[in-house]
Each structure stands twice: as structure tokens, then as C-alpha cells.
Amino acid sequence: MSRRARVLVFLISTPLVVLVAVGGLFGAVRAPRQQGLPHLRVFEDVVRLILNAYVEQPNIDKVMDGAMKGLVDGLDPDTSYLTPDEVRAIDAKAVLPEGELGLVITRQFYLRIIGVRDGSPAQRAGLQTGDFIRAIGDTATRDMSAFAGNRLLHGAPGSKVTLLIIRNGNTGDPHPVELTREVAKTDRAEGKRLPGGQAYVRVTSFGPGAADALRAAVAATGPAATNGVIIDLRDVADGVPEEGIGAAKLFVKSGTIAIRAGRPTPTA
């Protein structure tokens, strides 16, 4: 093997070991061709063309990072390829700064808002579910993962950040919105009676303690709750499954509450 070939193999292999799934992917290709992944041959051809025919000397690390991101981005909007530094931060259980904006985001070319917490800086600024975030400060969000975007949205309480917002798909008219980060309120639910006497409960988050907060909010509506309760879940997109299940159990006393779906077990 030539020196150049050895260097190429090293450069390609190094970023691949970061993503465990890719290790399994390449393991599959060792099987007979009819059981493997012929797409990897195309991938190899593309890498060879980039190295030999691109007009400038490519940055192979950047190229391979892009390839890994594209591989994982093809799964769903909330699955992300993490860099080694990001993985180390997770392993070290690095805590994000307490200041945040009250946004829940996903990835859809840019970052897309799927939840806005009541009373948050984002809600007061008029941000809405469905808005796109084109940039966070000076950092463009094109192809940014939701994981990376969430880390940028956090900061010290009282610090300011400007988001470049696209509404209704109008990419030609983004508008900047300056927000001040705050510590998130711990209130999860609030109950009251509507003018017609109906019991109404607004759930703001399914974070820790949400089920207990919902129970207390329903009780706060008094006798009106005996005739039924209106539970408002609009724009609520954050929390943990356990709290959602606990909240459902307040009203559904028996039967299946939730089913965790997974990959079917392959047959022999």
C-alpha cells in the first residue's frame, strides 16, 4: 500500500470510530455483497473523486465530518452526529448554564421552533411554534443539529442573544429578535375556572413534577372539576415520558397508557 493510500485510510477511519453506528455499518459490508451495503462503494468513489479531482486541496476532516452528519441526518430531525468534544461533554455530564429562552427546537434545514413555554422570554417576544431560527447570534443554523442549537440558546441569566427569525417560510425577509435569557420557572400547571364555570388547567411543561402539579391544579378548580376538566397542552413540547404517563394515569385508571416502539426482532 502506498503512503498516500495509508494516509487516506487513516483519515477516513479516524472520524468513523466516533460514531458507533457506523462501525456496525462497516461491519455489515464484510458480509457477502448481497447482504451488505453497495452504497459504500459509491461513498468510496466519491471520496476518491474529491481527493483526486477537486479544484483545491480538500480539508478531509471537514469533508468526513460532513459525511457523518449527512449519514445521521437522514434518519430523522432529532438524531444528530456528535463531535468528539460534544460526546465528552455528555460523558462528563456538563451542565448547561441556567439562563434560557423557553424554546423547544428541532431541525428542519434550519432550526425550527416546536414549543414556546408560557411566560418565557421567547413568548413575550412573540416567537411562535413553526418559526425558523436562521441564526443564533453570529452563528448560522443551516444544517446545525438541535443538540448544538440548544447549547447555543443557553447562557448566563441576564445575558442577551439575538435570533434571526423566519416566519411563514419567508426566507427572503428574516427579522432579528433580541432576547434576554432567564432561569426557567418551575411551575408546570395552573388551574382556574372559565367564565362559564368550566374547570380549566394549563400545562406548561412535562418536566419533573408535572404529574403532581397537574393533580394540584385540577384540585384547585374545586367542584367544577367533577363535571370534567379542559386540559390545555398547546405548544407544550418539552419534558420526559415518565411525567406524561404519570399525568395520563390521573385520568385513565386502567388499560395501556403508552407503548415503547422499537425495531422488530429479525427472524432467522
Side-chain angles (χ1 to χ4, degrees):
M1 180 182 293
S2 68
R3 183 177 182 278
R4 180 177 181 180
R6 288 196 298 272
V7 172
L8 175 59
V9 170
F10 175 76
L11 290 173
I12 292 176
S13 301
T14 300
L16 294 183
V17 298
V18 178
L19 189 64
V20 177
V22 177
L25 195 67
F26 275 77
V29 83
R30 297 190 183 98
R33 174 58 61 184
Q34 63 271 22
Q35 298 178 1
L37 296 172
H39 302 84
L40 291 180
R41 178 172 295 175
V42 178
F43 178 82
E44 182 181 358
D45 291 341
V46 172
V47 172
R48 186 179 294 109
L49 282 170
I50 290 173
L51 290 172
N52 296 326
Y54 187 63
V55 65
E56 298 176 355
Q57 182 66 32
N59 182 332
I60 191 63
D61 290 336
K62 184 177 180 180
V63 170
M64 295 306 300
D65 278 346
M68 296 305 101
K69 290 177 181 178
L71 182 68
V72 179
D73 286 353
L75 298 173
D76 63 69
D78 297 311
T79 302
S80 304
Y81 166 78
L82 304 183
T83 66
D85 287 342
E86 290 171 333
V87 173
R88 281 190 286 270
I90 293 176
D91 290 343
K93 296 180 172 57
V95 178
L96 290 175
E98 290 186 337
E100 50 100 76
L101 304 175
L103 290 174
V104 183
I105 57 174
T106 188
R107 175 183 50 80
Q108 189 176 335
F109 189 69
Y110 298 111
L111 297 180
R112 184 171 181 266
I113 297 173
I114 58 174
V116 182
R117 195 184 66 249
D118 290 9
S120 65
Q123 188 192 53
R124 294 196 300 271
L127 298 187
Q128 302 173 8
T129 298
D131 287 346
F132 289 87
I133 304 174
R134 184 170 175 174
I136 302 173
D138 296 328
T139 305
T141 64
R142 179 177 177 179
D143 300 325
M144 178 185 290
S145 69
F147 176 87
N150 189 52
R151 297 181 72 83
L152 286 178
L153 292 174
H154 281 72
S159 62
K160 296 182 182 297
V161 62
T162 298
L163 307 183
L164 194 60
I165 300 297
I166 297 172
R167 180 162 293 171
N168 299 325
N170 189 1
T171 57
D173 186 29
H175 62 280
V177 178
E178 185 181 73
L179 303 170
T180 300
R181 297 181 177 97
E182 297 178 355
V183 177
K185 297 178 180 179
T186 57
D187 297 339
R188 306 298 186 194
E190 182 179 271
K192 64 179 182 180
R193 291 191 187 185
L194 298 178
Q198 304 93 335
Y200 168 89
V201 173
R202 168 63 177 169
V203 177
T204 60
S205 169
F206 280 103
D212 289 339
L214 177 56
R215 180 188 295 108
V218 171
T221 64
T226 59
N227 295 322
V229 182
I230 298 171
I231 301 178
D232 188 349
L233 303 177
R234 290 175 295 177
D235 289 333
V236 181
D238 67 320
V240 293
E242 292 76 14
E243 290 294 338
I245 293 172
K249 285 182 177 179
L250 298 176
F251 307 98
V252 181
K253 299 303 181 182
S254 62
T256 301
I257 298 294
I259 297 175
R260 184 183 295 276
R263 180 181 297 181
T265 303
T267 56

